[in-house]
Amino acid sequence: MITYLVRRTALLLASLSLASVVLFLLLRFLPGDPVNALLSVGATDAQIEAARRELGTNEPVAAQFLSWLGDAVTFDLGRSLISNLAVGPEIAARLPVTVPLTLAGFVLAVLIAVPVGFLAAYRAEKWDGPLLNGVAQFGLAVPAFWLGLLLVTIFALNLRVLPAGGFPPAGWSDPAAAATALTLPVVTVALVMSASLIRYVRAATLDVLGSDFLRTARALGSSLPAAMWRHGLRNAAAPVIAVLAIELATTFLGAVVIESVFALPGLGSMLTRAIAQRDYPVIQGVMLVSTFAVLAVGFLGDVAQRVADPRLLRGRS
Amino acid sequence: MKRAWIAVAAASALLLSACGGGGDDTPADSAAQTIDIGSVYEPQNLDNTAGGGQGVTEALNGNVYEGLFRLTDAGTVEPLLATAHTVGEDGLTYTFTLADGVTFHSGKALTSADVKASIERVTAETSRSARKSSLAVIKEIATPDDKTVTVTLSAPSISFVYHLSYVWIVNTAAGDLTTTADGTGPYRLGEWKRGATLSLTRNDAYWGTKAKNAGAVFHYFTDATALNNALLTNAVDIVTSEQSPDALAQFESNPAYKINEGTSTTKLLLAFNDRVAPFDKVPVRKAVSAAIDNAKLLNSIWGEYGTLIGSMVPPGDPWYEDLTAVNAYDVEAAKRLLAEGGVPNGFTFTLDTPNYDPHPTAATFIKSELAKIGVTVEINTITSDEWYTKVYQERDFQATMQEHVNDRDVVWYGNPDFYWGYDNATVADLVKQAEAAKTEAAQADLLKQANKIIAAEAASDWLYLYPQIVVASADLSGYPLNGRNSQFFVYDIVKS
């Protein structure tokens, strides 16, 4: 296990370094000049040159990269080209929106997907199983922002039970208001994410239900719930954990998309704005943090999988 | 299995009931009210000389910061921190006297040194202010005493006082003004929650007439639908500038809201590159202008809102004249003009079109209109970033579309180096003379003359003037309607 952890950690760090290089180069080779976002119509050539000098975008790419990387390892993500505010604290200020949104959306998605997926498999021969499966299939095709707008129309504009968007200025110091503000976004994220999860749970359940070991257990007199508990869950756990890790990462990205629909001050709206303005340090900072989050979740998922099913560990070495 | 179904239903019900309802609150005393304002213009930072963008003007200009003069919502310039000023015989020396009893929010008294430092911030080398070039005419600023500022110009500039209305008088000792503020206005800066809100609280030690409300919160949105939903659910009381024509229908039919159309200064231009063939020929530009039915275009985009303009000058500028009859829609005349311009069978040109609304729609419309006179349009969709590089900096284009937002900007036609390359010595001279004029009446007269020539030569095709639409709750009053140059004075707003 320890060898595995060491190897896996090294891989994590290598992925992160590679990702940072790719991110940096991708942004630099895209067309467009961040200076353009700073100056309005009427700027003189001298003003444009001065702005470029001030931003350091006239330096060679290699020099820009080294200076950025040097700062990044000390957790200094630089300053926004546009606002001149430090990127690190700006990202930290957005996390209290994006992280709860992601985690709550994910947990709710699992809470929806596990019973629904199980029912869809268990009742596969009846009318309601295929119906649930069909609804999940349909859910896969629904764009998150559209679902968000639909929920806003129903619950905010018509029923008036929830706010249409925004986040209270007081943030989490007023937990009830913050939770209320996040309800519709969380439900949107959860519904979209649960659609694909339902299909995994259904497939996994169908596998287990049709497996030899379950049939043997039933034949030996075990009830279905007892057989599922003793044998089914353990066998289904490893693949489900892998899928859950991927889903959590996807939920994070989904949450980022949904933030602008609900006018939430999270990482997503920060990234959208930064991209429109070619604000390199902000884009890099947000992408780096997101990439790190996704890689870290993958890492934890892998470890959890090996804890749940030690055969994987033996199989590797 | 029934139990599982019930569990799912119960969980959903629990979730829904956990989220409390909105509820409406109606404070009795207007002085205790906070006004919630919805906007799509979040400041980039809080300093208007450091690229803060139009959001910082909207939130802070006139509210937190004040200038020597104020540009009112009606477009007139009136004294604010300067109670009086005199101009020397030569038109080069301006002497300003500061109002008494003015203090910054930090408590420090306003002195002439602050004024000098504030103007110098705008003209400094590192300044990113859009007004930097207008103030380049300043030669020297002197402060003979605490109450007096004397500015010497290198050439007469009748617009100088108007330009000063954009200069915030700041306490330069206050520290980093990109994240903090220290002004003299009727509000102090409350808290700026980046990506979400910026709040203002009434300055009870204000030197002038105190604000009629307790404060305001600007709520920022990146999505127009989210912004309108906020108004529909009373999360905001007012939207500073409605950007989406489609959204208006839901407010028009609802007596709880009021739609106000003010005087906009935003012009949608079909800008020709007047340097290159065939747009270097006046008859060709006139032909293209006459072949496009601007009324139909405006109507299809904004319905009943918006105004037609026949020139670069919007109705709010002091030198406005209705020139819509010049190059009016006339397909037969357009065909004749094409022949006169030496291209009787038409020609093909590329229209560089910014990729956001309404440009793609307008470009398609222009293409079909011009097909009627044998002119083929190739639409080239570009990002605003590409526009800035390709069109604005490199002038590598035949024709383009752009919205020009500022007031008093007809003077750009007096500069042959500007991106559209309009070069007429008479116009350049008139613009220069207007700036050196002794009186505002003389200035207006000279700019009217220039504008007539510009319109007659169809330097560009001015498609239409955007509407300036403020939508507010019906019980709200005292808000600015015109939002001139993105200003949004909050101090008179009350809820009944």
Side-chain angles (χ1 to χ4, degrees), chain B residues 435-460:
Chain B
E435 193 52 26
K438 287 261 189 280
T439 65
E440 284 172 7
Q443 177 195 23
D445 181 56
L446 289 159
L447 287 177
K448 274 182 185 172
Q449 290 179 42
N451 193 37
K452 273 187 192 141
I453 302 172
I454 297 162
E457 293 200 334
S460 306

Side-chain angles (χ1 to χ4, degrees), chain A residues 108-124:
Chain A
L108 186 60
V110 172
L111 289 180
I112 295 171
V114 170
V116 173
F118 177 75
L119 280 177
Y122 185 73
R123 314 258 313 168

Side-chain angles (χ1 to χ4, degrees), chain A residues 32-33 36 39-43 54 82-83 85 90 119 152 157 160-162 169 183 260-261 263 273 277-278, chain B residues 1 15 19-21 42 44-45 128 179 193-196 221-223 226 229 232-233 385 388-389 392-393 418:
Chain A
D33 186 340
N36 294 351
L39 301 164
S40 52
V41 168
E54 195 194 323
I82 308 286
S83 68
L85 302 170
E90 287 292 294
L119 280 177
V152 165
L157 299 184
R160 303 255 167 174
V161 290
L162 288 167
T183 304
S260 77
V261 174
R273 193 168 282 243
Q277 296 168 332
R278 297 236 181 288
Chain B
M1 261 321 100
L15 185 82
C19 342
E42 183 176 9
Q44 320 270 15
N45 63 55
R128 289 188 205 152
T179 50
K193 290 269 184 188
R194 251 111 48 211
F221 297 81
T222 49
D223 182 87
N229 287 343
L232 285 169
T233 54
D385 197 66
Y388 204 89
T389 308
Y392 185 74
Q393 284 174 250
F418 203 60

Side-chain angles (χ1 to χ4, degrees), chain B residues 321-345:
Chain B
E321 240 177 320
D322 183 356
L323 297 179
T324 45
V326 184
N327 297 314
Y329 177 57
D330 184 342
V331 178
E332 289 314 310
K335 286 178 183 161
R336 278 198 306 279
L337 284 161
L338 270 190
E340 201 184 307
V343 279
N345 301 320

Side-chain angles (χ1 to χ4, degrees), chain B residues 225-297:
Chain B
T225 312
L227 172 60
N228 290 318
N229 287 343
L231 185 60
L232 285 169
T233 54
N234 303 326
V236 300
D237 302 309
I238 185 168
V239 168
T240 59
S241 167
E242 191 58 72
Q243 300 297 315
S244 154
D246 302 333
L248 293 174
Q250 59 195 340
F251 299 111
E252 273 166 349
S253 53
N254 191 334
Y257 300 96
K258 188 157 182 251
I259 299 180
N260 308 273
E261 184 168 0
T263 317
S264 155
T265 54
T266 304
K267 298 134 290 223
L268 181 65
L269 256 66
L270 167 58
F272 310 116
N273 188 342
D274 295 353
R275 296 175 195 85
V276 303
F279 296 121
D280 54 348
K281 295 191 194 69
V282 172
V284 175
R285 301 199 298 254
K286 287 169 75 86
V288 169
S289 302
I292 300 170
D293 186 350
N294 294 337
K296 199 170 154 194
L297 173 66

